[in-house]
Short mmCIF file of all heavy atoms in Angstrom, two decimals:
data_model
loop_
_atom_site.label_atom_id
_atom_site.label_comp_id
_atom_site.label_asym_id
_atom_site.label_seq_id
_atom_site.Cartn_x
_atom_site.Cartn_y
_atom_site.Cartn_z
N SER A 78 24.74 110.75 112.27
CA SER A 78 24.95 112.03 113.00
C SER A 78 26.22 112.67 112.60
O SER A 78 27.21 112.00 112.28
CB SER A 78 24.96 111.76 114.53
OG SER A 78 25.16 113.02 115.25
N ASP A 79 26.20 113.99 112.39
CA ASP A 79 27.46 114.73 112.06
C ASP A 79 27.77 115.79 113.15
O ASP A 79 27.06 116.02 114.11
CB ASP A 79 27.30 115.29 110.69
CG ASP A 79 26.26 116.37 110.59
OD1 ASP A 79 25.94 117.01 111.53
OD2 ASP A 79 25.66 116.54 109.45
N GLY A 80 28.87 116.40 112.90
CA GLY A 80 29.42 117.34 113.88
C GLY A 80 28.57 118.64 114.01
O GLY A 80 28.63 119.30 114.94
N ASN A 81 27.66 118.91 112.97
CA ASN A 81 26.84 120.06 113.02
C ASN A 81 25.69 119.88 114.00
O ASN A 81 25.19 120.77 114.55
CB ASN A 81 26.36 120.32 111.56
CG ASN A 81 27.41 120.74 110.68
OD1 ASN A 81 28.40 121.48 111.12
ND2 ASN A 81 27.43 120.28 109.48
N THR A 82 25.14 118.62 114.09
CA THR A 82 24.05 118.34 114.89
C THR A 82 24.42 117.72 116.29
O THR A 82 23.87 118.01 117.33
CB THR A 82 22.98 117.42 114.26
OG1 THR A 82 23.65 116.18 114.00
CG2 THR A 82 22.49 117.96 112.96
N GLY A 83 25.44 116.82 116.14
CA GLY A 83 25.98 116.21 117.41
C GLY A 83 24.93 115.50 118.22
O GLY A 83 24.97 115.59 119.51
N MET A 84 23.91 114.95 117.53
CA MET A 84 22.81 114.33 118.34
C MET A 84 23.23 113.19 119.28
O MET A 84 22.50 112.96 120.16
CB MET A 84 21.69 113.89 117.37
CG MET A 84 22.03 112.77 116.51
SD MET A 84 20.69 112.24 115.33
CE MET A 84 19.53 111.60 116.45
N TYR A 85 24.31 112.58 119.00
CA TYR A 85 24.80 111.50 119.89
C TYR A 85 26.01 111.84 120.66
O TYR A 85 26.60 111.00 121.36
CB TYR A 85 25.07 110.28 119.12
CG TYR A 85 23.85 109.68 118.47
CD1 TYR A 85 23.68 109.51 117.08
CD2 TYR A 85 22.75 109.22 119.29
CE1 TYR A 85 22.56 108.94 116.57
CE2 TYR A 85 21.65 108.69 118.68
CZ TYR A 85 21.53 108.50 117.38
OH TYR A 85 20.38 107.99 116.83
N ALA A 86 26.41 113.12 120.64
CA ALA A 86 27.68 113.51 121.40
C ALA A 86 27.62 113.23 122.88
O ALA A 86 28.56 112.72 123.43
CB ALA A 86 27.92 115.04 121.16
N GLU A 87 26.46 113.53 123.50
CA GLU A 87 26.38 113.28 125.01
C GLU A 87 26.44 111.74 125.20
O GLU A 87 27.06 111.27 126.11
CB GLU A 87 25.04 113.77 125.43
CG GLU A 87 24.89 113.65 126.92
CD GLU A 87 23.59 114.30 127.46
OE1 GLU A 87 22.90 115.10 126.74
OE2 GLU A 87 23.36 114.04 128.65
N MET A 88 25.73 110.96 124.37
CA MET A 88 25.71 109.49 124.58
C MET A 88 27.08 108.88 124.39
O MET A 88 27.57 107.99 125.12
CB MET A 88 24.74 108.85 123.58
CG MET A 88 24.59 107.35 123.73
SD MET A 88 23.66 106.64 122.34
CE MET A 88 22.14 107.58 122.42
N LYS A 91 31.65 112.31 123.78
CA LYS A 91 32.75 113.12 123.02
C LYS A 91 32.04 114.17 122.18
O LYS A 91 30.87 113.91 121.82
CB LYS A 91 33.60 112.25 122.12
CG LYS A 91 32.96 111.48 121.06
CD LYS A 91 33.95 110.69 120.28
CE LYS A 91 33.26 109.97 119.07
NZ LYS A 91 34.23 109.29 118.28
N ASN A 92 32.75 115.14 121.76
CA ASN A 92 32.20 116.11 120.81
C ASN A 92 32.58 115.76 119.38
O ASN A 92 33.77 115.55 119.11
CB ASN A 92 32.78 117.53 121.14
CG ASN A 92 32.26 118.01 122.50
OD1 ASN A 92 31.08 117.84 122.87
ND2 ASN A 92 33.15 118.64 123.32
N LEU A 93 31.57 115.59 118.48
CA LEU A 93 31.80 115.27 117.21
C LEU A 93 32.37 116.53 116.43
O LEU A 93 31.83 117.66 116.69
CB LEU A 93 30.56 114.79 116.53
CG LEU A 93 29.98 113.52 117.12
CD1 LEU A 93 28.74 113.15 116.36
CD2 LEU A 93 30.93 112.44 117.12
N GLN A 94 33.33 116.34 115.60
CA GLN A 94 33.88 117.47 114.79
C GLN A 94 33.04 117.67 113.56
O GLN A 94 32.34 116.81 113.11
CB GLN A 94 35.33 117.14 114.37
CG GLN A 94 36.21 116.82 115.53
CD GLN A 94 36.34 117.96 116.53
OE1 GLN A 94 36.53 119.19 116.06
NE2 GLN A 94 36.23 117.76 117.80
N GLU A 97 32.42 115.07 110.75
CA GLU A 97 32.64 113.72 111.16
C GLU A 97 31.25 113.00 111.23
O GLU A 97 30.39 113.51 111.92
CB GLU A 97 33.25 113.72 112.55
CG GLU A 97 33.51 112.30 113.15
CD GLU A 97 34.06 112.37 114.51
OE1 GLU A 97 34.32 113.46 115.03
OE2 GLU A 97 34.31 111.25 115.11
N ILE A 166 18.45 109.42 126.87
CA ILE A 166 17.93 110.84 127.02
C ILE A 166 16.44 110.84 126.94
O ILE A 166 15.78 111.58 127.72
CB ILE A 166 18.59 111.69 125.95
CG1 ILE A 166 20.15 111.78 126.03
CG2 ILE A 166 17.96 113.10 125.96
CD1 ILE A 166 20.85 112.45 124.92
#
Side-chain angles (χ1 to χ4, degrees):
S78 180
D79 62 31
N81 295 322
T82 60
M84 64 182 292
Y85 291 121
E87 182 177 350
M88 182 191 305
K91 65 178 183 178
N92 294 318
L93 301 179
Q94 302 300 312
E97 181 185 359
I166 297 172

